Amino acid sequence: DIQMTQSPSSLSASVGDRVTITCRASQGIGNCFAWYQQKSGKVPKVLIYAASTLQSGVPSRFSGSGSGTDFTLTISSLQPEDVATYYCQKCDSAPLTFGGGTKVEIK
Amino acid sequence: QVQLVESGGGVVQPGRSLRLSCAASGFTLSTYGMYWVRQAPGKGLEWLTSISYDGSYIYYADSVKGRFTISRENSKNTLYLQMNSLRTEDTAVYYCAKCRVTYDVDDAFDIWGQGTMVTVSS
């Protein structure tokens, strides 16, 4: 099975900073790749699908890129409400593996 | 309003069984692939199983294969997860989720239920 390695596992940044989270697949995967945000005690929410398409209602400071084995989630200007854990996911074929998560905090 | 509501969680002894339900509303369940995902306390998300819109394609994670069974009753707008031979490591919040697109099972999960807690303990 393809493994998803997400990094870093946690980060602390200042409001307004540009934040980048990466996810690497152990083998090349198709274009079906998603990013989710989970705030503490809440249900996960999809931010990005098809690697780079912003889900309706998600702020434009979030963006996704990548293909093959390397994918990136970028928050262009970190806001206090972005404090959360972020997960990547391959969704091209089962198993639909999630990355280990990145906890984002405000410095 | 598109909504998923899980039920059926609780405390169960190791080796016993439990069935979770996920009631769908606000959309036509029969046209969407569905999923179960779990999250152990303080841990990340783990995909468990997928079922296609008509139930003809089903996939499981190795961690639950042979013990858990996903099924759906489209006429009742309900998804199920039958969990047998439960282990302490199955303790988690269990979420059902909906596929973003119709007639597919390989895509992002756009709607999630609120989750139901399953605790496996003697």
Side-chain angles (χ1 to χ4, degrees):
Chain A
D1 291 344
I2 297 174
Q3 305 303 313
M4 305 301 297
T5 303
Q6 190 172 337
S7 62
S9 56
S10 66
L11 66 90
S12 181
S14 300
V15 172
D17 281 356
R18 183 181 184 87
V19 169
T20 299
I21 299 169
T22 63
C23 202
R24 173 164 288 177
S26 58
Q27 302 174 41
I29 62 176
N31 193 44
C32 190
F33 191 87
W35 290 96
Y36 300 85
Q37 176 193 63
Q38 186 179 31
K39 296 184 179 181
S40 180
K42 301 296 186 183
V43 175
K45 165 188 163 183
V46 64
L47 299 175
I48 302 283
Y49 62 89
S52 60
T53 304
L54 200 65
Q55 174 74 348
S56 176
V58 173
S60 59
R61 62 181 179 274
F62 292 93
S63 64
S65 64
S67 64
T69 58
D70 295 307
F71 298 85
T72 300
L73 173 70
T74 300
I75 308 173
S76 60
S77 177
L78 187 67
Q79 299 301 304
E81 59 266 33
D82 300 334
V83 168
T85 300
Y86 294 83
Y87 296 93
C88 62
Q89 184 203 25
K90 65 175 284 292
C91 51
D92 58 330
S93 62
L96 306 184
T97 309
F98 290 92
T102 296
K103 187 173 184 179
V104 174
E105 298 176 326
I106 300 291
K107 194 181 293 182
Chain B
Q1 179 188 2
V2 177
Q3 194 173 6
L4 297 171
V5 178
E6 301 94 337
S7 60
V11 180
V12 62
Q13 293 179 326
R16 304 297 292 265
S17 299
L18 206 59
R19 188 177 83 157
L20 305 183
S21 299
C22 171
S25 59
F27 67 101
T28 306
L29 181 67
S30 60
T31 62
Y32 287 92
M34 297 291 294
Y35 315 94
W36 287 98
V37 176
R38 72 183 177 188
Q39 186 168 35
K43 302 297 185 181
L45 301 172
E46 181 186 12
W47 167 82
L48 297 180
T49 179
S50 305
I51 185 168
S52 60
Y53 70 98
D54 60 356
S56 59
Y57 294 95
I58 289 175
Y59 307 95
Y60 295 99
D62 287 346
S63 59
V64 303
K65 197 175 297 181
R67 299 189 300 125
F68 289 12
T69 302
I70 190 173
S71 62
R72 60 192 302 156
E73 200 162 356
N74 288 336
S75 62
K76 293 187 176 180
N77 291 317
T78 304
L79 176 74
Y80 302 101
L81 183 67
Q82 176 68 41
M83 304 186 296
N84 297 333
S85 303
L86 283 162
R87 306 166 179 168
T88 55
E89 56 264 36
D90 295 320
T91 294
V93 174
Y94 285 73
Y95 297 100
C96 62
K98 166 189 163 292
C99 186
R100 189 184 63 84
V101 298
T102 54
Y103 304 113
D104 200 349
V105 73
D106 295 328
D107 209 285
F109 305 174
D110 68 338
I111 303 293
W112 296 60
Q114 85 288 350
T116 187
M117 183 70 201
V118 172
T119 302
V120 184
S121 174
S122 54

